[in-house]
Amino acid sequence: MQSGLERLLADPSALTGLKVGLCCNHTAVTRQLDHALPALVGAGVQIVRLFGPEHGIDATAQDMISFDDEASDAVSVVSLYGDTEASLHPAPSTMADLDVLLFDIHDVGSRYYTYQATLGFMMEVAAVSNTPVIVLDRPNPITGLNVEGNIVRPGFE
């Protein structure tokens, strides 16, 4: 079994020559616990922009506290968690120059958590900027065969 990140690292040729954005946090790791950013760069992928969800790329920002854009290893980081609802959406200009956006955040399995909303907001903007989105998903380690947990009643989606 391989994660989406590991499958991409096994053959990154589809991203050769492309300007790539990466939305991730500390959970974006290989089975050897190598983080996605250096792993992808080491595989020849041109990461031009990072997008930081709630808590930031390294998950060091406090819960419910906004953080500003920053730079990480000469790659700009766009904050997707600020003080306003608009700050949860990336500005279209931050995606317009990208050829593809990678999203690699491990799902915590709870609908109230912000990461699935972050993906949804990014996909909305990507649709406008015509930027393909690749979700580097992970299989459920507990077989992944059953839908479990809180099931949303119709009308409360």
Side-chain angles (χ1 to χ4, degrees):
M1 183 169 17
Q2 291 182 313
S3 69
L5 175 60
E6 290 172 326
R7 291 190 64 183
L8 179 59
L9 289 170
D11 182 13
S13 62
L15 301 180
T16 300
L18 300 182
K19 294 181 197 170
V20 179
L22 173 63
C23 182
C24 65
N25 65 7
H26 66 293
T27 66
V29 295
T30 65
R31 68 183 68 219
Q32 291 81 26
L33 301 180
D34 297 322
H35 190 267
L37 178 58
L40 288 164
V41 169
V45 176
Q46 181 187 2
I47 305 292
V48 298
R49 190 162 303 111
L50 295 173
F51 295 88
E54 182 179 11
H55 307 296
I57 301 289
D58 298 320
T60 56
Q62 177 62 38
D63 182 40
M64 302 292 290
I65 302 295
S66 63
F67 66 96
D68 296 325
D69 295 351
E70 53 190 81
S72 172
D73 299 326
V75 175
S76 65
V77 178
V78 176
S79 171
L80 296 177
Y81 195 77
D83 294 330
T84 66
E85 184 177 341
S87 71
L88 304 177
H89 298 74
S93 62
T94 64
M95 293 180 67
D97 64 333
L98 299 178
D99 296 312
V100 65
L101 172 71
L102 303 178
F103 186 92
D104 191 4
I105 297 178
H106 192 92
D107 178 27
V108 298
S110 298
R111 286 186 182 88
Y112 62 84
Y113 223 75
T114 59
Y115 298 139
Q116 74 175 20
T118 298
L119 174 58
F121 294 148
M122 293 202 77
M123 291 176 74
E124 289 174 2
V125 175
V128 172
S129 64
N130 202 28
T131 306
V133 177
I134 299 172
V135 178
L136 301 176
D137 206 358
R138 290 171 169 73
N140 182 336
I142 310 174
T143 75
L145 299 176
N146 300 316
V147 175
E148 301 177 87
N150 297 327
I151 306 300
V152 178
R153 289 182 286 160
F156 292 91
E157 297 89 355

